[in-house]
Amino acid sequence: MNQSRNILAYFFCSSFIGTVLYTTTVFSPRTPNLFDGEAFLYWVGAHMIYGVIVGGLIIIMLRE
């Protein structure tokens, strides 16, 4: 779909994956409660930052 230069695509994909994976934290006794809003925001926020960084690096790599 030629989205390789669209940083928002990486942002939203990473956010979606982070949201889906958050539900798997119930399998570990060391993680916060599934309905802990603050933990969820940290989790998804970190995935958003990761998506922006990866998207930016891919765009830089494609320029070369």
Side-chain angles (χ1 to χ4, degrees):
M1 295 190 316
N2 201 15
Q3 294 293 318
S4 61
R5 296 186 189 275
N6 185 358
I7 203 163
L8 284 177
Y10 298 103
F11 175 82
F12 287 120
C13 285
S14 186
S15 301
F16 175 74
I17 290 168
T19 301
V20 172
L21 287 178
Y22 184 78
T23 59
T24 64
T25 62
V26 298
F27 298 120
S28 176
R30 301 181 333 210
T31 57
N33 184 355
L34 183 62
F35 299 106
D36 184 353
E38 185 179 356
F40 178 75
L41 289 176
Y42 279 124
W43 180 271
V44 174
H47 279 84
M48 289 176 178
I49 293 168
Y50 175 79
V52 169
I53 291 170
V54 168
L57 291 174
I58 289 173
I59 289 170
I60 290 170
M61 186 178 72
L62 290 174
R63 285 185 189 159
E64 296 177 1

